[in-house]
Amino acid sequence: MEVERFASTPFGRARRTLGRHGYIAYFPRTIPRALDISTENLLRLADAEAALGRLAGAGRLLPHPHLLVRPYLRREAVASTRIEGTQASLVDVFDAEASQQPPTADVEEVVNYVRAMEVGLQRLAELPLSTRLIREMHAEILAGVRGRDRQPGELRSTQNWIGPPGATIETATFVPPPPDELDDLLSDLERFVHERPTLPPLVQAALVHYQFETIHPFLDGNGRLGRLLVVFFLVIRKRLQEPLLYLSPYLEIRRDDYYAALQGVRERGDIARWLQLFLDGVRVQAADAVVRAERLTDLREEYRARARSITRGTANALVDLAFEHPVLNARLVESRLAVTRPAALTALRQLAEAGVLSEISGGPRGQLRWRAEEVLRVLVEEQQVP
């Protein structure tokens, strides 16, 4: 890492560590509690807040917002892990969850991300957003997948660095702070999350993500966990009742800009560029989430209308289940709806006849699957990012 590239700013500075084998690392300062925000970014903040407000309102008005949380979370998980190099698609994930076969390595990373989010949200009822909770979520992210040998759930005790393949600590693009700096930096991050705010919540969320990525407290999985913290922060600050906002699809499309904006804060203190990217991402993703929610809500009403000709009560419950799990099998329906195998198969086939589901053949009876193709189409459709 070239120390000449890094100015001393309110966000930190680069310097050589002490000792015989010293190296250049970046030493973050505590998170600023006040910022000069440009007029352009104040306008972006107003637009992002308005879009987030519309999403929060849509979440309150939806008859069953939990039906969207699950598929939205999987969209986020797929995009976030793809930023880190996986190739799994959203359909791959839904197929794997409905299958009795072991998932591929890439799909398992996505599933772990989903589990970390779900575990973290449950634990928020018992724990504050804290280093302890972050460590628990990190253990879920790396359980049994690539990086499982890199101390899941444990703060790093050795130095890490970021750079192209084959980079050394001397040639790295960025070297996070040494391990003995982590406790104080993470304690400050906790205080910042919970103390009385002096900045707008979205600006705070941008700073939380930046600081966590800069601290880089784990040997692996920091990017995925740092992106999860954004929605967690907005939930605990009650800006969202349901975790329906996910930034990773936006950041995946703009991956180079994303990394450059974070690095710009470290090297030049250029917080304006990071806020611009972050606030634009919130605005775009909140608007996208509302549009998809409206389309899925309309589709649910259409499906329920198609199911009215089916007298068995399982059919209506199965319509809702198809939004949580757009790929279904009899085993899953049995478990979730507490019905027998024959009742599950009957309901699946009836909804297929009504045009709600499509049967996917190619295996023994237990391996048959049914897809809600129109639901999947809404979820996987690529968004247009300006």
Side-chain angles (χ1 to χ4, degrees), residues 175-209:
V175 180
D180 58 6
E181 298 284 318
L182 299 184
D183 286 345
D184 287 346
L185 289 168
L186 290 171
S187 294
D188 176 67
L189 184 63
E190 277 191 43
R191 287 194 297 273
F192 182 77
V193 166
H194 296 291
E195 68 193 13
R196 185 171 182 174
T198 57
L199 290 166
L202 286 179
V203 174
Q204 287 183 288
L207 288 172
V208 165
H209 180 70

mmCIF file of all heavy atoms in Angstrom, residues 175-209:
data_model
loop_
_atom_site.group_PDB
_atom_site.id
_atom_site.type_symbol
_atom_site.label_atom_id
_atom_site.label_comp_id
_atom_site.label_asym_id
_atom_site.label_seq_id
_atom_site.Cartn_x
_atom_site.Cartn_y
_atom_site.Cartn_z
ATOM 1 N N VAL A 175 -4.839 -1.899 3.207
ATOM 2 C CA VAL A 175 -4.507 -2.711 4.378
ATOM 3 C C VAL A 175 -5.293 -2.149 5.561
ATOM 4 O O VAL A 175 -5.031 -1.018 6.010
ATOM 5 C CB VAL A 175 -2.993 -2.695 4.677
ATOM 6 C CG1 VAL A 175 -2.693 -3.561 5.904
ATOM 7 C CG2 VAL A 175 -2.198 -3.183 3.464
ATOM 8 N N PRO A 176 -6.278 -2.876 6.074
ATOM 9 C CA PRO A 176 -7.083 -2.395 7.204
ATOM 10 C C PRO A 176 -6.237 -2.256 8.467
ATOM 11 O O PRO A 176 -5.065 -2.648 8.496
ATOM 12 C CB PRO A 176 -8.146 -3.496 7.366
ATOM 13 C CG PRO A 176 -8.156 -4.234 6.070
ATOM 14 C CD PRO A 176 -6.749 -4.171 5.566
ATOM 15 N N PRO A 177 -6.828 -1.715 9.522
ATOM 16 C CA PRO A 177 -6.047 -1.505 10.751
ATOM 17 C C PRO A 177 -5.558 -2.820 11.355
ATOM 18 O O PRO A 177 -6.187 -3.866 11.182
ATOM 19 C CB PRO A 177 -7.056 -0.813 11.682
ATOM 20 C CG PRO A 177 -8.400 -1.183 11.137
ATOM 21 C CD PRO A 177 -8.221 -1.273 9.663
ATOM 22 N N PRO A 178 -4.440 -2.783 12.071
ATOM 23 C CA PRO A 178 -3.926 -3.986 12.723
ATOM 24 C C PRO A 178 -4.926 -4.539 13.746
ATOM 25 O O PRO A 178 -5.795 -3.807 14.248
ATOM 26 C CB PRO A 178 -2.638 -3.500 13.408
ATOM 27 C CG PRO A 178 -2.240 -2.285 12.639
ATOM 28 C CD PRO A 178 -3.528 -1.638 12.223
ATOM 29 N N PRO A 179 -4.802 -5.816 14.095
ATOM 30 C CA PRO A 179 -5.780 -6.456 14.987
ATOM 31 C C PRO A 179 -5.937 -5.769 16.339
ATOM 32 O O PRO A 179 -7.050 -5.754 16.886
ATOM 33 C CB PRO A 179 -5.222 -7.874 15.154
ATOM 34 C CG PRO A 179 -4.403 -8.111 13.940
ATOM 35 C CD PRO A 179 -3.824 -6.781 13.573
ATOM 36 N N ASP A 180 -4.863 -5.202 16.889
ATOM 37 C CA ASP A 180 -4.986 -4.600 18.218
ATOM 38 C C ASP A 180 -5.781 -3.289 18.210
ATOM 39 O O ASP A 180 -6.042 -2.711 19.269
ATOM 40 C CB ASP A 180 -3.613 -4.402 18.863
ATOM 41 C CG ASP A 180 -2.676 -3.538 18.034
ATOM 42 O OD1 ASP A 180 -3.123 -2.985 17.005
ATOM 43 O OD2 ASP A 180 -1.497 -3.414 18.407
ATOM 44 N N GLU A 181 -6.184 -2.818 17.025
ATOM 45 C CA GLU A 181 -7.020 -1.619 16.920
ATOM 46 C C GLU A 181 -8.517 -1.942 16.911
ATOM 47 O O GLU A 181 -9.354 -1.041 17.057
ATOM 48 C CB GLU A 181 -6.687 -0.867 15.622
ATOM 49 C CG GLU A 181 -5.263 -0.357 15.523
ATOM 50 C CD GLU A 181 -5.052 0.878 16.376
ATOM 51 O OE1 GLU A 181 -5.931 1.754 16.391
ATOM 52 O OE2 GLU A 181 -3.990 0.949 17.028
ATOM 53 N N LEU A 182 -8.854 -3.214 16.726
ATOM 54 C CA LEU A 182 -10.245 -3.572 16.439
ATOM 55 C C LEU A 182 -11.194 -3.272 17.590
ATOM 56 O O LEU A 182 -12.303 -2.767 17.374
ATOM 57 C CB LEU A 182 -10.344 -5.054 16.064
ATOM 58 C CG LEU A 182 -9.572 -5.499 14.819
ATOM 59 C CD1 LEU A 182 -9.848 -6.971 14.524
ATOM 60 C CD2 LEU A 182 -9.916 -4.634 13.613
ATOM 61 N N ASP A 183 -10.820 -3.610 18.825
ATOM 62 C CA ASP A 183 -11.753 -3.469 19.947
ATOM 63 C C ASP A 183 -12.233 -2.027 20.092
ATOM 64 O O ASP A 183 -13.436 -1.769 20.233
ATOM 65 C CB ASP A 183 -11.094 -3.948 21.241
ATOM 66 C CG ASP A 183 -10.980 -5.460 21.321
ATOM 67 O OD1 ASP A 183 -11.655 -6.141 20.519
ATOM 68 O OD2 ASP A 183 -10.219 -5.955 22.168
ATOM 69 N N ASP A 184 -11.313 -1.088 20.072
ATOM 70 C CA ASP A 184 -11.707 0.322 20.238
ATOM 71 C C ASP A 184 -12.567 0.802 19.075
ATOM 72 O O ASP A 184 -13.556 1.529 19.269
ATOM 73 C CB ASP A 184 -10.470 1.206 20.361
ATOM 74 C CG ASP A 184 -9.767 1.052 21.709
ATOM 75 O OD1 ASP A 184 -10.373 0.470 22.631
ATOM 76 O OD2 ASP A 184 -8.614 1.493 21.826
ATOM 77 N N LEU A 185 -12.215 0.390 17.865
ATOM 78 C CA LEU A 185 -12.975 0.832 16.691
ATOM 79 C C LEU A 185 -14.383 0.247 16.687
ATOM 80 O O LEU A 185 -15.355 0.939 16.371
ATOM 81 C CB LEU A 185 -12.231 0.439 15.419
ATOM 82 C CG LEU A 185 -10.947 1.225 15.133
ATOM 83 C CD1 LEU A 185 -10.142 0.559 14.032
ATOM 84 C CD2 LEU A 185 -11.280 2.677 14.745
ATOM 85 N N LEU A 186 -14.507 -1.019 17.053
ATOM 86 C CA LEU A 186 -15.835 -1.642 17.081
ATOM 87 C C LEU A 186 -16.671 -1.100 18.237
ATOM 88 O O LEU A 186 -17.898 -0.968 18.114
ATOM 89 C CB LEU A 186 -15.699 -3.158 17.173
ATOM 90 C CG LEU A 186 -15.165 -3.831 15.904
ATOM 91 C CD1 LEU A 186 -14.850 -5.304 16.154
ATOM 92 C CD2 LEU A 186 -16.155 -3.698 14.745
ATOM 93 N N SER A 187 -16.035 -0.765 19.346
ATOM 94 C CA SER A 187 -16.773 -0.141 20.451
ATOM 95 C C SER A 187 -17.333 1.212 20.025
ATOM 96 O O SER A 187 -18.478 1.567 20.355
ATOM 97 C CB SER A 187 -15.863 0.030 21.671
ATOM 98 O OG SER A 187 -15.496 -1.227 22.199
ATOM 99 N N ASP A 188 -16.544 1.969 19.277
ATOM 100 C CA ASP A 188 -17.024 3.254 18.773
ATOM 101 C C ASP A 188 -18.172 3.053 17.788
ATOM 102 O O ASP A 188 -19.144 3.816 17.798
ATOM 103 C CB ASP A 188 -15.883 4.005 18.095
ATOM 104 C CG ASP A 188 -16.358 5.314 17.469
ATOM 105 O OD1 ASP A 188 -16.748 6.219 18.229
ATOM 106 O OD2 ASP A 188 -16.359 5.408 16.223
ATOM 107 N N LEU A 189 -18.068 2.020 16.942
ATOM 108 C CA LEU A 189 -19.151 1.731 16.002
ATOM 109 C C LEU A 189 -20.440 1.412 16.750
ATOM 110 O O LEU A 189 -21.525 1.887 16.383
ATOM 111 C CB LEU A 189 -18.742 0.559 15.104
ATOM 112 C CG LEU A 189 -19.716 0.170 13.994
ATOM 113 C CD1 LEU A 189 -19.903 1.299 12.994
ATOM 114 C CD2 LEU A 189 -19.222 -1.084 13.265
ATOM 115 N N GLU A 190 -20.349 0.629 17.819
ATOM 116 C CA GLU A 190 -21.531 0.318 18.637
ATOM 117 C C GLU A 190 -22.128 1.596 19.225
ATOM 118 O O GLU A 190 -23.346 1.800 19.201
ATOM 119 C CB GLU A 190 -21.158 -0.635 19.773
ATOM 120 C CG GLU A 190 -21.109 -2.096 19.390
ATOM 121 C CD GLU A 190 -21.000 -2.985 20.620
ATOM 122 O OE1 GLU A 190 -21.714 -2.715 21.617
ATOM 123 O OE2 GLU A 190 -20.208 -3.940 20.594
ATOM 124 N N ARG A 191 -21.277 2.437 19.793
ATOM 125 C CA ARG A 191 -21.782 3.685 20.383
ATOM 126 C C ARG A 191 -22.481 4.536 19.327
ATOM 127 O O ARG A 191 -23.546 5.112 19.577
ATOM 128 C CB ARG A 191 -20.631 4.475 21.021
ATOM 129 C CG ARG A 191 -20.102 3.898 22.310
ATOM 130 C CD ARG A 191 -19.214 4.901 23.044
ATOM 131 N NE ARG A 191 -18.026 5.230 22.258
ATOM 132 C CZ ARG A 191 -16.889 4.539 22.293
ATOM 133 N NH1 ARG A 191 -16.784 3.474 23.062
ATOM 134 N NH2 ARG A 191 -15.853 4.924 21.566
ATOM 135 N N PHE A 192 -21.896 4.622 18.166
ATOM 136 C CA PHE A 192 -22.465 5.431 17.092
ATOM 137 C C PHE A 192 -23.858 4.930 16.705
ATOM 138 O O PHE A 192 -24.764 5.728 16.443
ATOM 139 C CB PHE A 192 -21.538 5.387 15.879
ATOM 140 C CG PHE A 192 -22.006 6.222 14.717
ATOM 141 C CD1 PHE A 192 -21.859 7.595 14.733
ATOM 142 C CD2 PHE A 192 -22.591 5.626 13.603
ATOM 143 C CE1 PHE A 192 -22.286 8.378 13.658
ATOM 144 C CE2 PHE A 192 -23.016 6.385 12.531
ATOM 145 C CZ PHE A 192 -22.870 7.769 12.559
ATOM 146 N N VAL A 193 -24.028 3.622 16.684
ATOM 147 C CA VAL A 193 -25.314 3.029 16.301
ATOM 148 C C VAL A 193 -26.400 3.367 17.320
ATOM 149 O O VAL A 193 -27.561 3.587 16.949
ATOM 150 C CB VAL A 193 -25.170 1.501 16.138
ATOM 151 C CG1 VAL A 193 -26.535 0.820 16.085
ATOM 152 C CG2 VAL A 193 -24.368 1.184 14.878
ATOM 153 N N HIS A 194 -26.033 3.445 18.590
ATOM 154 C CA HIS A 194 -27.059 3.533 19.639
ATOM 155 C C HIS A 194 -27.166 4.899 20.312
ATOM 156 O O HIS A 194 -28.168 5.165 20.983
ATOM 157 C CB HIS A 194 -26.786 2.459 20.706
ATOM 158 C CG HIS A 194 -26.905 1.065 20.183
ATOM 159 N ND1 HIS A 194 -28.112 0.517 19.810
ATOM 160 C CD2 HIS A 194 -25.961 0.118 19.933
ATOM 161 C CE1 HIS A 194 -27.917 -0.716 19.364
ATOM 162 N NE2 HIS A 194 -26.624 -0.980 19.423
ATOM 163 N N GLU A 195 -26.178 5.782 20.143
ATOM 164 C CA GLU A 195 -26.265 7.064 20.815
ATOM 165 C C GLU A 195 -27.279 7.979 20.132
ATOM 166 O O GLU A 195 -27.734 7.710 19.016
ATOM 167 C CB GLU A 195 -24.882 7.731 20.846
ATOM 168 C CG GLU A 195 -24.378 8.167 19.492
ATOM 169 C CD GLU A 195 -22.900 8.521 19.511
ATOM 170 O OE1 GLU A 195 -22.203 8.193 20.506
ATOM 171 O OE2 GLU A 195 -22.426 9.118 18.523
ATOM 172 N N ARG A 196 -27.628 9.048 20.810
ATOM 173 C CA ARG A 196 -28.585 10.005 20.234
ATOM 174 C C ARG A 196 -28.025 10.552 18.926
ATOM 175 O O ARG A 196 -26.908 11.076 18.888
ATOM 176 C CB ARG A 196 -28.830 11.142 21.220
ATOM 177 C CG ARG A 196 -29.896 12.119 20.758
ATOM 178 C CD ARG A 196 -30.240 13.089 21.850
ATOM 179 N NE ARG A 196 -31.293 13.999 21.432
ATOM 180 C CZ ARG A 196 -31.875 14.887 22.222
ATOM 181 N NH1 ARG A 196 -31.496 14.969 23.501
ATOM 182 N NH2 ARG A 196 -32.818 15.678 21.769
ATOM 183 N N PRO A 197 -28.784 10.447 17.834
ATOM 184 C CA PRO A 197 -28.223 10.803 16.522
ATOM 185 C C PRO A 197 -28.011 12.305 16.358
ATOM 186 O O PRO A 197 -28.786 13.121 16.852
ATOM 187 C CB PRO A 197 -29.268 10.277 15.537
ATOM 188 C CG PRO A 197 -30.551 10.234 16.309
ATOM 189 C CD PRO A 197 -30.156 9.904 17.719
ATOM 190 N N THR A 198 -26.933 12.635 15.666
ATOM 191 C CA THR A 198 -26.665 14.023 15.297
ATOM 192 C C THR A 198 -26.667 14.193 13.785
ATOM 193 O O THR A 198 -26.416 15.292 13.292
ATOM 194 C CB THR A 198 -25.305 14.469 15.862
ATOM 195 O OG1 THR A 198 -24.285 13.578 15.377
ATOM 196 C CG2 THR A 198 -25.309 14.455 17.378
ATOM 197 N N LEU A 199 -26.938 13.103 13.065
ATOM 198 C CA LEU A 199 -26.982 13.101 11.607
ATOM 199 C C LEU A 199 -28.243 12.376 11.155
ATOM 200 O O LEU A 199 -28.799 11.554 11.898
ATOM 201 C CB LEU A 199 -25.754 12.383 11.037
ATOM 202 C CG LEU A 199 -24.404 13.086 11.198
ATOM 203 C CD1 LEU A 199 -23.276 12.107 10.909
ATOM 204 C CD2 LEU A 199 -24.313 14.301 10.279
ATOM 205 N N PRO A 200 -28.729 12.650 9.951
ATOM 206 C CA PRO A 200 -29.898 11.927 9.439
ATOM 207 C C PRO A 200 -29.616 10.416 9.375
ATOM 208 O O PRO A 200 -28.474 10.000 9.130
ATOM 209 C CB PRO A 200 -30.092 12.510 8.034
ATOM 210 C CG PRO A 200 -29.416 13.840 8.071
ATOM 211 C CD PRO A 200 -28.259 13.685 9.002
ATOM 212 N N PRO A 201 -30.632 9.582 9.573
ATOM 213 C CA PRO A 201 -30.428 8.133 9.620
ATOM 214 C C PRO A 201 -29.741 7.554 8.380
ATOM 215 O O PRO A 201 -28.901 6.659 8.502
ATOM 216 C CB PRO A 201 -31.848 7.573 9.772
ATOM 217 C CG PRO A 201 -32.615 8.672 10.420
ATOM 218 C CD PRO A 201 -32.027 9.939 9.898
ATOM 219 N N LEU A 202 -30.080 8.050 7.196
ATOM 220 C CA LEU A 202 -29.461 7.489 5.995
ATOM 221 C C LEU A 202 -27.982 7.851 5.907
ATOM 222 O O LEU A 202 -27.168 7.056 5.419
ATOM 223 C CB LEU A 202 -30.202 7.942 4.736
ATOM 224 C CG LEU A 202 -31.556 7.281 4.498
ATOM 225 C CD1 LEU A 202 -32.215 7.833 3.240
ATOM 226 C CD2 LEU A 202 -31.424 5.767 4.407
ATOM 227 N N VAL A 203 -27.624 9.034 6.369
ATOM 228 C CA VAL A 203 -26.207 9.395 6.407
ATOM 229 C C VAL A 203 -25.486 8.527 7.434
ATOM 230 O O VAL A 203 -24.368 8.041 7.202
ATOM 231 C CB VAL A 203 -26.032 10.888 6.731
ATOM 232 C CG1 VAL A 203 -24.553 11.236 6.917
ATOM 233 C CG2 VAL A 203 -26.648 11.738 5.628
ATOM 234 N N GLN A 204 -26.124 8.291 8.559
ATOM 235 C CA GLN A 204 -25.545 7.390 9.560
ATOM 236 C C GLN A 204 -25.351 5.989 8.983
ATOM 237 O O GLN A 204 -24.312 5.351 9.200
ATOM 238 C CB GLN A 204 -26.448 7.312 10.784
ATOM 239 C CG GLN A 204 -26.436 8.562 11.649
ATOM 240 C CD GLN A 204 -27.299 8.349 12.876
ATOM 241 O OE1 GLN A 204 -28.519 8.303 12.794
ATOM 242 N NE2 GLN A 204 -26.656 8.199 14.017
ATOM 243 N N ALA A 205 -26.356 5.500 8.257
ATOM 244 C CA ALA A 205 -26.250 4.165 7.676
ATOM 245 C C ALA A 205 -25.080 4.082 6.708
ATOM 246 O O ALA A 205 -24.345 3.080 6.674
ATOM 247 C CB ALA A 205 -27.555 3.796 6.961
ATOM 248 N N ALA A 206 -24.880 5.137 5.917
ATOM 249 C CA ALA A 206 -23.749 5.168 4.991
ATOM 250 C C ALA A 206 -22.426 5.132 5.742
ATOM 251 O O ALA A 206 -21.474 4.448 5.329
ATOM 252 C CB ALA A 206 -23.826 6.413 4.114
ATOM 253 N N LEU A 207 -22.349 5.857 6.865
ATOM 254 C CA LEU A 207 -21.129 5.862 7.665
ATOM 255 C C LEU A 207 -20.898 4.520 8.348
ATOM 256 O O LEU A 207 -19.748 4.058 8.456
ATOM 257 C CB LEU A 207 -21.198 6.979 8.710
ATOM 258 C CG LEU A 207 -21.070 8.406 8.177
ATOM 259 C CD1 LEU A 207 -21.354 9.420 9.288
ATOM 260 C CD2 LEU A 207 -19.692 8.651 7.578
ATOM 261 N N VAL A 208 -21.961 3.875 8.818
ATOM 262 C CA VAL A 208 -21.822 2.547 9.446
ATOM 263 C C VAL A 208 -21.230 1.566 8.453
ATOM 264 O O VAL A 208 -20.298 0.810 8.775
ATOM 265 C CB VAL A 208 -23.187 2.056 9.966
ATOM 266 C CG1 VAL A 208 -23.142 0.563 10.284
ATOM 267 C CG2 VAL A 208 -23.605 2.843 11.202
ATOM 268 N N HIS A 209 -21.764 1.565 7.233
ATOM 269 C CA HIS A 209 -21.246 0.615 6.242
ATOM 270 C C HIS A 209 -19.802 0.934 5.888
ATOM 271 O O HIS A 209 -18.954 0.029 5.854
ATOM 272 C CB HIS A 209 -22.104 0.632 4.976
ATOM 273 C CG HIS A 209 -21.613 -0.332 3.936
ATOM 274 N ND1 HIS A 209 -21.713 -1.688 4.091
ATOM 275 C CD2 HIS A 209 -20.976 -0.132 2.749
ATOM 276 C CE1 HIS A 209 -21.182 -2.287 3.038
ATOM 277 N NE2 HIS A 209 -20.716 -1.358 2.215
#
